[in-house]
Amino acid sequence: MTDEALVELKRLTVRFDDRPVVDHVDLRVRRGDIITIIGPNGAGKTTLIKAVLGIQPISGGSLSMTPGLTIGYVPQHLTLESTLPISVKRFMLLSGRPQKQCLDALAKTGIEHLFNASVHHLSGGEKQRLLLARALARRPDLLVLDEPAQGVDINGQAALYDLIRSVRDDLNCGVIMISHDLHLVMAATDRVICLNQHVCCSGYPADISHDPAFIETFGQPVAESLAVYHHHHNHSHDLHGDVVSGEDDGHRECSHAHH
């Protein structure tokens, strides 16, 4: 991993009607980093992401990027007019990338077999993987994901976070991710930033869940309230989260998280 920052925020501030929504935030993302931003509703998480994407003007501080940086963005939801017929192929080609590049991205996310399917017939997990594939078709240096596991069941979420780590490894890109899935994401990230307009606390997942500022915002430490997602698979899941294969003894266990 290089120390060169792909994107760096210094005391970045965004105000709406003179009210700070993001207040003096510092953030540095390098190649290979997976940084997850957590926080309560209204904490400024999506506003911060929009500032990084360049679609939200900043009110103060600075934001710098590596020249020529390519960003891939995965929004929370895929919203399409229900009366508009569109295939996965057409949706991907609208990105402006060559068909081969689109197919490679679909293969990375495990849904290349859906190339000719209707987007409207995809499951929640398949739609999220399609959004990720569209972002990957750009071959990004920085991948930005806003609640990537929305509408996906618990096992599908675990598989999706595994996929994001795999993409990071393959592309050696940086990743910024917003998530509420604390029980999974604390094991799927390298660094956590707890945001509530300002940065309440930040650090490694194993440490931050015991930080007083984290506990004040989210309650007792994650390790005490949840079985955090650290385990080994002896099987795999399909896009819907169902077990599809296991070891020869037929013993298939899965304990991604327990409340």
Side-chain angles (χ1 to χ4, degrees):
M1 184 186 297
T2 176
D3 281 335
E4 179 188 3
L6 294 171
V7 60
E8 186 164 16
L9 283 55
K10 293 183 178 178
R11 299 181 65 79
L12 185 137
T13 299
V14 177
R15 294 187 182 90
F16 295 159
D17 298 325
D18 291 329
R19 179 177 62 88
V21 178
V22 175
D23 192 19
H24 292 84
V25 169
D26 293 334
L27 174 64
R28 193 169 191 264
V29 187
R30 305 167 299 171
R31 286 193 182 277
D33 281 343
I34 298 182
I35 296 175
T36 300
I37 301 170
I38 61 175
N41 291 333
K45 302 184 297 296
T46 296
T47 299
L48 180 64
I49 289 296
K50 287 180 177 178
V52 171
L53 294 171
I55 57 179
Q56 171 60 57
I58 67 174
S59 307
S62 65
L63 186 157
S64 59
M65 293 185 177
T66 298
L69 185 76
T70 299
I71 299 177
Y73 173 54
V74 180
Q76 285 188 28
H77 304 289
L78 174 57
T79 304
L80 294 172
E81 173 56 53
S82 60
T83 58
L84 176 67
I86 185 167
S87 66
V88 167
K89 175 182 178 179
R90 179 66 177 154
F91 182 78
M92 290 295 293
L93 292 177
L94 285 172
S95 68
R97 304 292 157 164
Q99 181 166 311
K100 173 67 165 62
Q101 218 161 299
C102 291
L103 281 167
D104 288 347
L106 289 168
K108 270 188 192 301
T109 61
I111 57 170
E112 69 274 24
H113 61 289
L114 297 173
F115 192 55
N116 293 309
S118 167
V119 171
H120 296 294
H121 296 159
L122 302 184
S123 70
E126 288 164 349
K127 285 179 179 176
Q128 291 308 106
R129 286 173 180 255
L130 176 59
L131 288 171
L132 180 57
R134 185 179 63 171
L136 296 184
R138 295 176 56 80
R139 296 178 180 167
D141 304 298
L142 178 67
L143 186 60
V144 179
L145 306 105
D146 189 352
E147 295 281 2
Q150 281 280 333
V152 182
D153 68 26
I154 188 74
N155 291 334
Q157 288 173 24
L160 192 60
Y161 287 125
D162 281 345
L163 175 59
I164 291 166
R165 292 185 69 87
S166 175
V167 164
R168 183 276 311 269
D169 294 341
D170 288 346
L171 297 181
N172 190 31
C173 61
V175 178
I176 305 174
M177 179 165 54
I178 292 175
S179 181
H180 286 114
D181 306 310
L182 298 183
H183 52 296
L184 294 179
V185 81
M186 296 295 266
T189 189
D190 300 320
R191 190 149 54 93
V192 177
I193 294 175
C194 181
L195 188 71
N196 198 356
Q197 278 79 55
H198 64 285
V199 176
C200 300
C201 54
S202 64
Y204 296 109
D207 299 329
I208 197 171
S209 62
H210 295 276
D211 188 290
F214 180 95
I215 295 168
E216 182 179 350
T217 303
F218 293 103
Q220 64 179 339
V222 170
E224 293 177 14
S225 60
L226 297 163
V228 181
Y229 168 59
H230 275 298
H231 70 286
H232 297 286
H233 283 285
N234 65 352
H235 61 275
S236 59
H237 296 280
D238 63 17
L239 296 175
H240 309 284
D242 297 324
V243 174
V244 294
S245 64
E247 293 179 346
D248 292 340
D249 62 5
H251 183 56
R252 299 178 182 178
E253 291 184 336
C254 189
S255 55
H256 292 292
H258 298 284
H259 290 273

